[in-house]
Amino acid sequence: MSRPDGRDHATASTVSITPLTGIPEVRDGDSLAEVVDAGLNASGLALEAGDIIVVSSKVASKSLGLVTHDPNKDRVVAAETEYVVAERALAGRVTRIVRSKAGPVMAAAGVDGSNTGEHGGWLLLPHDPDAVCERLRDELVRRHGVRLGVILSDTSGRPWRIGQVDFALGVHGVRATDDLRGGTDADGRRLEVTTRAVADEIASAADLAKGKVHGVPAAVVRGLGRFVPASADPSAPRGRDLVRAGPDDWFGYGRVEAVRAALGVEPGTPDAETVGIPPTSRSDSSRLDAVGRAVRVALHAVGSGTADVGPRSVTLGADTPYELGRLVARLEAALWSEWLHGSAGEPSADGRAVVVTVDAAPSRHPRP
């Protein structure tokens, strides 16, 4: 595969990933460079030019003292949230997918109570992960005198895929993306849209060596020196730049939240709590529950309207035929977000009441 800029992507290379074992429990105020050096010494590894050090965000949070003992996790998550993308009720509490102040869209803004050490509490993500990487990379370069890259990794789920993977929360000294547009593939066809998320691939690969349960918070990735420039380009994409936002974000809300937001019920607000947050699984909710939520969304912010709710039909009433029409349209949309379909019958003679029949929504797509 070739590029007009002269970089050759056809050359395969052997990549090795070495976990840094022997790192003691990290505490507030500890130097991350000292933490990495402790792992290097315990593992008998000397850094070489082009190495990439991948460090778990947890050790960065611990060293920076980013921990809170507030027992109310919802309040902690809210403080670390830019806006809510999706929310579901599970086991008596609400789980929210949010745009975190650290940058990525992830569950609970990355607030985590696992592997917090002897002091417990909730670990928070640094709000500027790239700056954490920059400071660590600069100190390691000063100490070891070789060209290096640093990635701060964290764990997140992905749209449309089951399970979690590690990704690059912060990046410095590593080309975060490999833009192949304008080059050709192995068959000589021009590449139009391919941009590899190199930093995410490295973070995910390193996690296979670090693991989640073995207390190994860092690893050295070797063999990818072509992605470690001699000097950092301040205009190059970094961790925060890998987050899609604004018009480039095709997935700004979940299915339910997109409909509700259009009807005036933003996720993460008291209005959303009032109308009811859907459960994580449809099997956790009866049809009557789902219809009730849809009706409350439909009636939200409407000047007048009544609803007699059943599991298979809803009788709507309004002061005028116009208001009734508005309610029917809103209810049909709200039902769709609950994987249900509403079909209005003939209105009453005065145009102020109608029965909406509720059925399972026809769809070519499997239900969650």
mmCIF file of all heavy atoms in Angstrom, residues 158-202:
data_model
loop_
_atom_site.group_PDB
_atom_site.id
_atom_site.type_symbol
_atom_site.label_atom_id
_atom_site.label_comp_id
_atom_site.label_asym_id
_atom_site.label_seq_id
_atom_site.Cartn_x
_atom_site.Cartn_y
_atom_site.Cartn_z
ATOM 1 N N ARG A 158 -18.717 -0.325 22.770
ATOM 2 C CA ARG A 158 -18.770 0.233 21.419
ATOM 3 C C ARG A 158 -20.179 0.096 20.860
ATOM 4 O O ARG A 158 -20.857 -0.892 21.151
ATOM 5 C CB ARG A 158 -17.797 -0.508 20.502
ATOM 6 C CG ARG A 158 -16.363 -0.505 20.973
ATOM 7 C CD ARG A 158 -15.639 -1.736 20.489
ATOM 8 N NE ARG A 158 -16.229 -2.945 21.037
ATOM 9 C CZ ARG A 158 -16.100 -4.161 20.491
ATOM 10 N NH1 ARG A 158 -15.434 -4.308 19.381
ATOM 11 N NH2 ARG A 158 -16.652 -5.214 21.060
ATOM 12 N N PRO A 159 -20.626 1.043 20.048
ATOM 13 C CA PRO A 159 -21.926 0.885 19.405
ATOM 14 C C PRO A 159 -21.949 -0.379 18.552
ATOM 15 O O PRO A 159 -20.984 -0.662 17.825
ATOM 16 C CB PRO A 159 -22.060 2.139 18.524
ATOM 17 C CG PRO A 159 -21.129 3.119 19.132
ATOM 18 C CD PRO A 159 -19.987 2.322 19.694
ATOM 19 N N TRP A 160 -23.032 -1.125 18.683
ATOM 20 C CA TRP A 160 -23.319 -2.294 17.828
ATOM 21 C C TRP A 160 -22.438 -3.501 18.093
ATOM 22 O O TRP A 160 -22.529 -4.511 17.402
ATOM 23 C CB TRP A 160 -23.234 -1.944 16.334
ATOM 24 C CG TRP A 160 -24.020 -0.747 15.959
ATOM 25 C CD1 TRP A 160 -25.322 -0.490 16.272
ATOM 26 C CD2 TRP A 160 -23.569 0.384 15.222
ATOM 27 N NE1 TRP A 160 -25.705 0.712 15.776
ATOM 28 C CE2 TRP A 160 -24.652 1.282 15.121
ATOM 29 C CE3 TRP A 160 -22.365 0.712 14.617
ATOM 30 C CZ2 TRP A 160 -24.561 2.485 14.450
ATOM 31 C CZ3 TRP A 160 -22.272 1.905 13.956
ATOM 32 C CH2 TRP A 160 -23.354 2.774 13.877
ATOM 33 N N ARG A 161 -21.556 -3.448 19.092
ATOM 34 C CA ARG A 161 -20.677 -4.577 19.371
ATOM 35 C C ARG A 161 -20.761 -4.925 20.856
ATOM 36 O O ARG A 161 -20.766 -4.048 21.719
ATOM 37 C CB ARG A 161 -19.219 -4.251 19.019
ATOM 38 C CG ARG A 161 -18.991 -3.836 17.584
ATOM 39 C CD ARG A 161 -19.186 -4.970 16.619
ATOM 40 N NE ARG A 161 -18.118 -5.960 16.747
ATOM 41 C CZ ARG A 161 -18.084 -7.071 16.003
ATOM 42 N NH1 ARG A 161 -19.038 -7.347 15.141
ATOM 43 N NH2 ARG A 161 -17.078 -7.919 16.150
ATOM 44 N N ILE A 162 -20.803 -6.215 21.163
ATOM 45 C CA ILE A 162 -20.858 -6.667 22.546
ATOM 46 C C ILE A 162 -19.456 -6.667 23.143
ATOM 47 O O ILE A 162 -18.479 -6.995 22.469
ATOM 48 C CB ILE A 162 -21.470 -8.081 22.613
ATOM 49 C CG1 ILE A 162 -22.957 -8.030 22.227
ATOM 50 C CG2 ILE A 162 -21.317 -8.692 24.009
ATOM 51 C CD1 ILE A 162 -23.595 -9.393 22.109
ATOM 52 N N GLY A 163 -19.368 -6.338 24.430
ATOM 53 C CA GLY A 163 -18.086 -6.381 25.125
ATOM 54 C C GLY A 163 -17.369 -5.052 25.119
ATOM 55 O O GLY A 163 -17.749 -4.110 24.426
ATOM 56 N N GLN A 164 -16.305 -4.995 25.915
ATOM 57 C CA GLN A 164 -15.529 -3.767 26.055
ATOM 58 C C GLN A 164 -14.116 -3.964 25.498
ATOM 59 O O GLN A 164 -13.594 -5.080 25.492
ATOM 60 C CB GLN A 164 -15.422 -3.355 27.529
ATOM 61 C CG GLN A 164 -16.708 -2.842 28.132
ATOM 62 C CD GLN A 164 -17.689 -3.943 28.468
ATOM 63 O OE1 GLN A 164 -17.291 -5.006 28.927
ATOM 64 N NE2 GLN A 164 -18.959 -3.718 28.212
ATOM 65 N N VAL A 165 -13.525 -2.882 25.045
ATOM 66 C CA VAL A 165 -12.139 -2.895 24.576
ATOM 67 C C VAL A 165 -11.433 -1.660 25.120
ATOM 68 O O VAL A 165 -12.074 -0.678 25.493
ATOM 69 C CB VAL A 165 -12.047 -2.899 23.028
ATOM 70 C CG1 VAL A 165 -12.680 -4.145 22.439
ATOM 71 C CG2 VAL A 165 -12.684 -1.648 22.451
ATOM 72 N N ASP A 166 -10.113 -1.729 25.148
ATOM 73 C CA ASP A 166 -9.347 -0.549 25.529
ATOM 74 C C ASP A 166 -9.188 0.383 24.327
ATOM 75 O O ASP A 166 -9.132 -0.073 23.178
ATOM 76 C CB ASP A 166 -7.973 -0.955 26.056
ATOM 77 C CG ASP A 166 -7.986 -1.075 27.572
ATOM 78 O OD1 ASP A 166 -9.027 -1.459 28.124
ATOM 79 O OD2 ASP A 166 -6.943 -0.807 28.204
ATOM 80 N N PHE A 167 -9.104 1.666 24.612
ATOM 81 C CA PHE A 167 -8.923 2.678 23.573
ATOM 82 C C PHE A 167 -7.952 3.728 24.095
ATOM 83 O O PHE A 167 -7.610 3.747 25.285
ATOM 84 C CB PHE A 167 -10.261 3.323 23.191
ATOM 85 C CG PHE A 167 -10.841 4.181 24.290
ATOM 86 C CD1 PHE A 167 -10.664 5.554 24.291
ATOM 87 C CD2 PHE A 167 -11.568 3.605 25.325
ATOM 88 C CE1 PHE A 167 -11.184 6.345 25.306
ATOM 89 C CE2 PHE A 167 -12.084 4.385 26.347
ATOM 90 C CZ PHE A 167 -11.897 5.748 26.331
ATOM 91 N N ALA A 168 -7.510 4.587 23.201
ATOM 92 C CA ALA A 168 -6.547 5.623 23.566
ATOM 93 C C ALA A 168 -7.281 6.833 24.123
ATOM 94 O O ALA A 168 -7.849 7.632 23.379
ATOM 95 C CB ALA A 168 -5.708 6.015 22.358
ATOM 96 N N LEU A 169 -7.255 6.975 25.430
ATOM 97 C CA LEU A 169 -7.855 8.139 26.083
ATOM 98 C C LEU A 169 -6.992 9.371 25.857
ATOM 99 O O LEU A 169 -7.491 10.471 25.621
ATOM 100 C CB LEU A 169 -8.025 7.855 27.575
ATOM 101 C CG LEU A 169 -8.598 8.974 28.441
ATOM 102 C CD1 LEU A 169 -10.053 9.218 28.103
ATOM 103 C CD2 LEU A 169 -8.448 8.625 29.917
ATOM 104 N N GLY A 170 -5.685 9.192 25.939
ATOM 105 C CA GLY A 170 -4.743 10.276 25.699
ATOM 106 C C GLY A 170 -3.578 9.775 24.870
ATOM 107 O O GLY A 170 -3.232 8.592 24.917
ATOM 108 N N VAL A 171 -2.963 10.677 24.096
ATOM 109 C CA VAL A 171 -1.866 10.298 23.195
ATOM 110 C C VAL A 171 -0.842 11.430 23.157
ATOM 111 O O VAL A 171 -1.212 12.606 23.106
ATOM 112 C CB VAL A 171 -2.385 10.046 21.755
ATOM 113 C CG1 VAL A 171 -1.233 9.667 20.828
ATOM 114 C CG2 VAL A 171 -3.467 8.982 21.723
ATOM 115 N N HIS A 172 0.443 11.055 23.154
ATOM 116 C CA HIS A 172 1.495 12.024 22.855
ATOM 117 C C HIS A 172 2.702 11.282 22.303
ATOM 118 O O HIS A 172 3.106 10.237 22.816
ATOM 119 C CB HIS A 172 1.912 12.828 24.087
ATOM 120 C CG HIS A 172 2.780 14.002 23.733
ATOM 121 N ND1 HIS A 172 2.278 15.134 23.121
ATOM 122 C CD2 HIS A 172 4.112 14.219 23.873
ATOM 123 C CE1 HIS A 172 3.257 15.995 22.917
ATOM 124 N NE2 HIS A 172 4.385 15.464 23.353
ATOM 125 N N GLY A 173 3.263 11.842 21.237
ATOM 126 C CA GLY A 173 4.423 11.239 20.619
ATOM 127 C C GLY A 173 4.113 10.049 19.745
ATOM 128 O O GLY A 173 5.021 9.340 19.305
ATOM 129 N N VAL A 174 2.827 9.816 19.448
ATOM 130 C CA VAL A 174 2.394 8.724 18.583
ATOM 131 C C VAL A 174 1.420 9.296 17.555
ATOM 132 O O VAL A 174 0.554 10.111 17.911
ATOM 133 C CB VAL A 174 1.672 7.610 19.382
ATOM 134 C CG1 VAL A 174 1.227 6.481 18.447
ATOM 135 C CG2 VAL A 174 2.565 7.070 20.482
ATOM 136 N N ARG A 175 1.585 8.907 16.294
ATOM 137 C CA ARG A 175 0.585 9.311 15.299
ATOM 138 C C ARG A 175 -0.709 8.566 15.605
ATOM 139 O O ARG A 175 -0.808 7.356 15.411
ATOM 140 C CB ARG A 175 1.069 9.003 13.885
ATOM 141 C CG ARG A 175 2.061 10.030 13.382
ATOM 142 C CD ARG A 175 2.155 10.063 11.858
ATOM 143 N NE ARG A 175 2.892 8.909 11.362
ATOM 144 C CZ ARG A 175 2.393 7.968 10.570
ATOM 145 N NH1 ARG A 175 1.131 8.034 10.200
ATOM 146 N NH2 ARG A 175 3.138 6.973 10.156
ATOM 147 N N ALA A 176 -1.707 9.303 16.087
ATOM 148 C CA ALA A 176 -2.934 8.679 16.564
ATOM 149 C C ALA A 176 -3.731 8.030 15.444
ATOM 150 O O ALA A 176 -4.446 7.053 15.667
ATOM 151 C CB ALA A 176 -3.802 9.715 17.283
ATOM 152 N N THR A 177 -3.612 8.569 14.228
ATOM 153 C CA THR A 177 -4.328 8.008 13.086
ATOM 154 C C THR A 177 -3.353 7.814 11.934
ATOM 155 O O THR A 177 -2.309 8.465 11.858
ATOM 156 C CB THR A 177 -5.474 8.923 12.628
ATOM 157 O OG1 THR A 177 -4.936 10.198 12.240
ATOM 158 C CG2 THR A 177 -6.504 9.115 13.734
ATOM 159 N N ASP A 178 -3.711 6.917 11.042
ATOM 160 C CA ASP A 178 -2.934 6.670 9.836
ATOM 161 C C ASP A 178 -3.862 6.907 8.654
ATOM 162 O O ASP A 178 -4.685 6.048 8.313
ATOM 163 C CB ASP A 178 -2.402 5.236 9.838
ATOM 164 C CG ASP A 178 -1.399 4.986 8.725
ATOM 165 O OD1 ASP A 178 -0.855 5.966 8.189
ATOM 166 O OD2 ASP A 178 -1.170 3.805 8.390
ATOM 167 N N ASP A 179 -3.773 8.082 8.076
ATOM 168 C CA ASP A 179 -4.682 8.496 7.004
ATOM 169 C C ASP A 179 -4.219 7.895 5.682
ATOM 170 O O ASP A 179 -3.220 8.311 5.111
ATOM 171 C CB ASP A 179 -4.719 10.022 6.931
ATOM 172 C CG ASP A 179 -5.821 10.530 6.012
ATOM 173 O OD1 ASP A 179 -6.416 9.703 5.289
ATOM 174 O OD2 ASP A 179 -6.085 11.745 6.030
ATOM 175 N N LEU A 180 -4.962 6.909 5.204
ATOM 176 C CA LEU A 180 -4.602 6.214 3.967
ATOM 177 C C LEU A 180 -5.325 6.765 2.746
ATOM 178 O O LEU A 180 -5.147 6.246 1.635
ATOM 179 C CB LEU A 180 -4.919 4.720 4.103
ATOM 180 C CG LEU A 180 -4.239 3.997 5.263
ATOM 181 C CD1 LEU A 180 -4.651 2.527 5.285
ATOM 182 C CD2 LEU A 180 -2.736 4.122 5.172
ATOM 183 N N ARG A 181 -6.129 7.794 2.934
ATOM 184 C CA ARG A 181 -6.876 8.353 1.799
ATOM 185 C C ARG A 181 -5.914 8.918 0.759
ATOM 186 O O ARG A 181 -4.948 9.596 1.076
ATOM 187 C CB ARG A 181 -7.822 9.451 2.286
ATOM 188 C CG ARG A 181 -8.959 8.936 3.151
ATOM 189 C CD ARG A 181 -9.756 10.072 3.756
ATOM 190 N NE ARG A 181 -8.934 10.868 4.667
ATOM 191 C CZ ARG A 181 -9.376 11.937 5.310
ATOM 192 N NH1 ARG A 181 -10.622 12.346 5.136
ATOM 193 N NH2 ARG A 181 -8.575 12.599 6.111
ATOM 194 N N GLY A 182 -6.198 8.609 -0.483
ATOM 195 C CA GLY A 182 -5.347 9.064 -1.572
ATOM 196 C C GLY A 182 -4.327 8.035 -1.995
ATOM 197 O O GLY A 182 -3.726 8.144 -3.069
ATOM 198 N N GLY A 183 -4.125 7.001 -1.149
ATOM 199 C CA GLY A 183 -3.232 5.914 -1.522
ATOM 200 C C GLY A 183 -3.984 4.836 -2.279
ATOM 201 O O GLY A 183 -5.111 5.027 -2.731
ATOM 202 N N THR A 184 -3.372 3.677 -2.425
ATOM 203 C CA THR A 184 -3.997 2.557 -3.135
ATOM 204 C C THR A 184 -3.918 1.311 -2.289
ATOM 205 O O THR A 184 -3.012 1.145 -1.463
ATOM 206 C CB THR A 184 -3.308 2.302 -4.487
ATOM 207 O OG1 THR A 184 -1.910 2.064 -4.266
ATOM 208 C CG2 THR A 184 -3.472 3.499 -5.417
ATOM 209 N N ASP A 185 -4.891 0.411 -2.507
ATOM 210 C CA ASP A 185 -4.856 -0.854 -1.795
ATOM 211 C C ASP A 185 -3.985 -1.849 -2.554
ATOM 212 O O ASP A 185 -3.329 -1.506 -3.543
ATOM 213 C CB ASP A 185 -6.274 -1.388 -1.569
ATOM 214 C CG ASP A 185 -6.991 -1.775 -2.857
ATOM 215 O OD1 ASP A 185 -6.340 -1.811 -3.936
ATOM 216 O OD2 ASP A 185 -8.198 -2.048 -2.810
ATOM 217 N N ALA A 186 -3.969 -3.108 -2.080
ATOM 218 C CA ALA A 186 -3.094 -4.117 -2.679
ATOM 219 C C ALA A 186 -3.463 -4.412 -4.124
ATOM 220 O O ALA A 186 -2.640 -4.936 -4.892
ATOM 221 C CB ALA A 186 -3.152 -5.398 -1.849
ATOM 222 N N ASP A 187 -4.699 -4.083 -4.522
ATOM 223 C CA ASP A 187 -5.140 -4.311 -5.898
ATOM 224 C C ASP A 187 -5.027 -3.070 -6.763
ATOM 225 O O ASP A 187 -5.491 -3.046 -7.900
ATOM 226 C CB ASP A 187 -6.599 -4.803 -5.903
ATOM 227 C CG ASP A 187 -6.755 -6.126 -5.172
ATOM 228 O OD1 ASP A 187 -5.894 -7.012 -5.375
ATOM 229 O OD2 ASP A 187 -7.711 -6.268 -4.392
ATOM 230 N N GLY A 188 -4.444 -2.001 -6.200
ATOM 231 C CA GLY A 188 -4.270 -0.785 -6.965
ATOM 232 C C GLY A 188 -5.465 0.141 -6.958
ATOM 233 O O GLY A 188 -5.466 1.160 -7.650
ATOM 234 N N ARG A 189 -6.502 -0.190 -6.181
ATOM 235 C CA ARG A 189 -7.684 0.669 -6.116
ATOM 236 C C ARG A 189 -7.431 1.837 -5.165
ATOM 237 O O ARG A 189 -6.831 1.656 -4.101
ATOM 238 C CB ARG A 189 -8.912 -0.121 -5.666
ATOM 239 C CG ARG A 189 -9.453 -1.071 -6.736
ATOM 240 C CD ARG A 189 -10.767 -1.676 -6.292
ATOM 241 N NE ARG A 189 -10.544 -2.657 -5.249
ATOM 242 C CZ ARG A 189 -10.416 -3.973 -5.469
ATOM 243 N NH1 ARG A 189 -10.474 -4.439 -6.712
ATOM 244 N NH2 ARG A 189 -10.229 -4.806 -4.478
ATOM 245 N N ARG A 190 -7.929 2.983 -5.544
ATOM 246 C CA ARG A 190 -7.710 4.196 -4.753
ATOM 247 C C ARG A 190 -8.513 4.130 -3.459
ATOM 248 O O ARG A 190 -9.692 3.760 -3.442
ATOM 249 C CB ARG A 190 -8.123 5.429 -5.567
ATOM 250 C CG ARG A 190 -7.854 6.760 -4.858
ATOM 251 C CD ARG A 190 -8.241 7.926 -5.759
ATOM 252 N NE ARG A 190 -8.086 9.208 -5.091
ATOM 253 C CZ ARG A 190 -6.933 9.858 -4.997
ATOM 254 N NH1 ARG A 190 -5.838 9.353 -5.537
ATOM 255 N NH2 ARG A 190 -6.866 11.024 -4.374
ATOM 256 N N LEU A 191 -7.881 4.501 -2.350
ATOM 257 C CA LEU A 191 -8.542 4.537 -1.054
ATOM 258 C C LEU A 191 -9.141 5.920 -0.837
ATOM 259 O O LEU A 191 -8.449 6.927 -0.969
ATOM 260 C CB LEU A 191 -7.544 4.219 0.059
ATOM 261 C CG LEU A 191 -6.931 2.809 0.001
ATOM 262 C CD1 LEU A 191 -5.804 2.690 1.010
ATOM 263 C CD2 LEU A 191 -7.984 1.752 0.265
ATOM 264 N N GLU A 192 -10.439 5.940 -0.509
ATOM 265 C CA GLU A 192 -11.149 7.214 -0.400
ATOM 266 C C GLU A 192 -11.474 7.610 1.035
ATOM 267 O O GLU A 192 -11.550 8.789 1.347
ATOM 268 C CB GLU A 192 -12.462 7.145 -1.204
ATOM 269 C CG GLU A 192 -12.276 6.825 -2.688
ATOM 270 C CD GLU A 192 -11.647 7.978 -3.458
ATOM 271 O OE1 GLU A 192 -11.554 9.085 -2.899
ATOM 272 O OE2 GLU A 192 -11.243 7.759 -4.612
ATOM 273 N N VAL A 193 -11.700 6.637 1.917
ATOM 274 C CA VAL A 193 -12.204 6.972 3.255
ATOM 275 C C VAL A 193 -11.416 6.329 4.391
ATOM 276 O O VAL A 193 -11.696 6.595 5.566
ATOM 277 C CB VAL A 193 -13.691 6.562 3.404
ATOM 278 C CG1 VAL A 193 -14.549 7.334 2.419
ATOM 279 C CG2 VAL A 193 -13.870 5.061 3.215
ATOM 280 N N THR A 194 -10.451 5.489 4.111
ATOM 281 C CA THR A 194 -9.801 4.700 5.155
ATOM 282 C C THR A 194 -8.821 5.533 5.980
ATOM 283 O O THR A 194 -7.836 6.042 5.452
ATOM 284 C CB THR A 194 -9.061 3.496 4.555
ATOM 285 O OG1 THR A 194 -9.986 2.710 3.799
ATOM 286 C CG2 THR A 194 -8.439 2.647 5.649
ATOM 287 N N THR A 195 -9.117 5.643 7.258
ATOM 288 C CA THR A 195 -8.207 6.244 8.230
ATOM 289 C C THR A 195 -8.136 5.302 9.419
ATOM 290 O O THR A 195 -9.124 5.116 10.125
ATOM 291 C CB THR A 195 -8.693 7.633 8.680
ATOM 292 O OG1 THR A 195 -8.766 8.506 7.542
ATOM 293 C CG2 THR A 195 -7.731 8.226 9.697
ATOM 294 N N ARG A 196 -6.996 4.694 9.627
ATOM 295 C CA ARG A 196 -6.838 3.728 10.719
ATOM 296 C C ARG A 196 -6.699 4.456 12.047
ATOM 297 O O ARG A 196 -5.950 5.426 12.167
ATOM 298 C CB ARG A 196 -5.607 2.853 10.488
ATOM 299 C CG ARG A 196 -5.706 1.923 9.315
ATOM 300 C CD ARG A 196 -4.379 1.231 9.074
ATOM 301 N NE ARG A 196 -3.954 0.464 10.229
ATOM 302 C CZ ARG A 196 -2.691 0.096 10.457
ATOM 303 N NH1 ARG A 196 -1.737 0.476 9.622
ATOM 304 N NH2 ARG A 196 -2.385 -0.616 11.527
ATOM 305 N N ALA A 197 -7.386 3.963 13.045
ATOM 306 C CA ALA A 197 -7.266 4.507 14.397
ATOM 307 C C ALA A 197 -6.107 3.792 15.092
ATOM 308 O O ALA A 197 -6.289 2.911 15.936
ATOM 309 C CB ALA A 197 -8.564 4.324 15.164
ATOM 310 N N VAL A 198 -4.888 4.193 14.738
ATOM 311 C CA VAL A 198 -3.684 3.488 15.193
ATOM 312 C C VAL A 198 -3.581 3.482 16.716
ATOM 313 O O VAL A 198 -3.296 2.451 17.338
ATOM 314 C CB VAL A 198 -2.427 4.116 14.565
ATOM 315 C CG1 VAL A 198 -1.164 3.501 15.161
ATOM 316 C CG2 VAL A 198 -2.434 3.922 13.062
ATOM 317 N N ALA A 199 -3.798 4.623 17.338
ATOM 318 C CA ALA A 199 -3.644 4.708 18.793
ATOM 319 C C ALA A 199 -4.617 3.778 19.509
ATOM 320 O O ALA A 199 -4.262 3.128 20.503
ATOM 321 C CB ALA A 199 -3.837 6.149 19.263
ATOM 322 N N ASP A 200 -5.847 3.696 19.018
ATOM 323 C CA ASP A 200 -6.827 2.781 19.618
ATOM 324 C C ASP A 200 -6.401 1.331 19.425
ATOM 325 O O ASP A 200 -6.553 0.493 20.334
ATOM 326 C CB ASP A 200 -8.206 2.997 19.000
ATOM 327 C CG ASP A 200 -8.895 4.245 19.525
ATOM 328 O OD1 ASP A 200 -8.452 4.786 20.559
ATOM 329 O OD2 ASP A 200 -9.874 4.684 18.893
ATOM 330 N N GLU A 201 -5.882 1.003 18.245
ATOM 331 C CA GLU A 201 -5.429 -0.360 17.995
ATOM 332 C C GLU A 201 -4.289 -0.739 18.943
ATOM 333 O O GLU A 201 -4.249 -1.855 19.470
ATOM 334 C CB GLU A 201 -4.974 -0.507 16.542
ATOM 335 C CG GLU A 201 -6.112 -0.426 15.531
ATOM 336 C CD GLU A 201 -5.643 -0.583 14.096
ATOM 337 O OE1 GLU A 201 -4.519 -0.141 13.787
ATOM 338 O OE2 GLU A 201 -6.393 -1.163 13.287
ATOM 339 N N ILE A 202 -3.375 0.184 19.159
ATOM 340 C CA ILE A 202 -2.242 -0.085 20.055
ATOM 341 C C ILE A 202 -2.734 -0.267 21.492
ATOM 342 O O ILE A 202 -2.312 -1.191 22.206
ATOM 343 C CB ILE A 202 -1.208 1.048 19.969
ATOM 344 C CG1 ILE A 202 -0.591 1.087 18.565
ATOM 345 C CG2 ILE A 202 -0.122 0.880 21.027
ATOM 346 C CD1 ILE A 202 0.270 2.309 18.302
#
